[in-house]
Amino acid sequence: MRTTPTPRTAAAARVVDAVKIYGTGDTEVTALDGVSVEFAAGRFTAIMGPSGSGKSTLMHCAAGLDTLSRGSAFIGDTELTGLDDRRLTLLRRDRVGFVFQAFNLLPTLTVAENITLPMDLAGTRPDAGWIDALIDTVGLRDRLAHRPSELSGGQQQRVAVARAFAGRPDVVFADEPTGNLDSRAGDEVLRLLGRTAREMGRTVVMVTHDPVAAAHADEVVFLADGRLVDRMAEPTAERVLERMHGFVTGPSAARS
Ligand SMILES: Nc1ncnc2c1ncn2[C@@H]1O[C@H](COP(=O)(O)OP(=O)(O)O)[C@@H](O)[C@H]1O
Ligand SMILES: [Mg+2]
């Protein structure tokens, strides 16, 4: 039986003509230089590009962690630009999940407590069935009573992934989530992000500079010098690497 695919127009998050300028005068840096991009709902998208290309800035502005200098950012139909601090905090809390390179777990809490911490702080009741399914998806059923220090790095990041998805956010943003992991543990976390997006119908946007990591996504968007320069569906590490070489050596090679 065929199921109807999610329409490509359903964006869980998007930015329109996004410009981000840091500093002023001599120290001014244009980190985003007019980026428009949609992150489709129910898909796993990687933001790829060389160091300094604006990946983290794009993610932070799309997620409401930072504000654009010009242009607009949306989570679903909600425009972030017009929100005051209080509403922005609530939106981040209720509709967005985050995974960072540092796992950011609380050492005194158990795995189970870490997973539901954001909801406990918010005073919202976790959906028990959803949390239960999530624990199986991340493979931590037998570690729920452990403290983070009793886990490997890969396991700790899996706890962070479960925490990010616990409140059923519209979108989970991950910034270099495998940066502190060896390749095997990193691979597990990437598979987990992909599986959660596909099997549990969640939206994931991941920043990475690693072609192997990007290849786990459904689609890769490429940034260079603060601009969106390409997109690639069904990426492979080889094709992503090839495309990256094109950006780095292409224009200057053509000039010489
Ligand atoms: N808080 C900041 N203040 C000044 N410049 C910044 C700041 N954050 C990032 N930048 C600059 O903006 C550009 C893009 O940075 P970033 O988004 O972190 O790139 P990436 O994540 O692709 O490595 C870089 O030139 C970086 O030095
Ligand atoms: Mg970065």
Side-chain angles (χ1 to χ4, degrees), residues 22 29 31 49-58 207:
Y22 290 112
V29 175
S51 177
S53 58
K55 304 182 297 295
S56 293
T57 303
L58 174 60
V207 165

Side-chain angles (χ1 to χ4, degrees), residues 36 38 40 50 80 103 108-109 112 130 134 161 192 203 206 228-229 246:
S36 296
E38 296 193 348
L80 307 186
F103 318 129
T108 56
L109 300 185
W130 170 254
L134 206 47
V161 169
L192 175 57
T203 306
M206 174 183 72
L228 185 79
V229 287

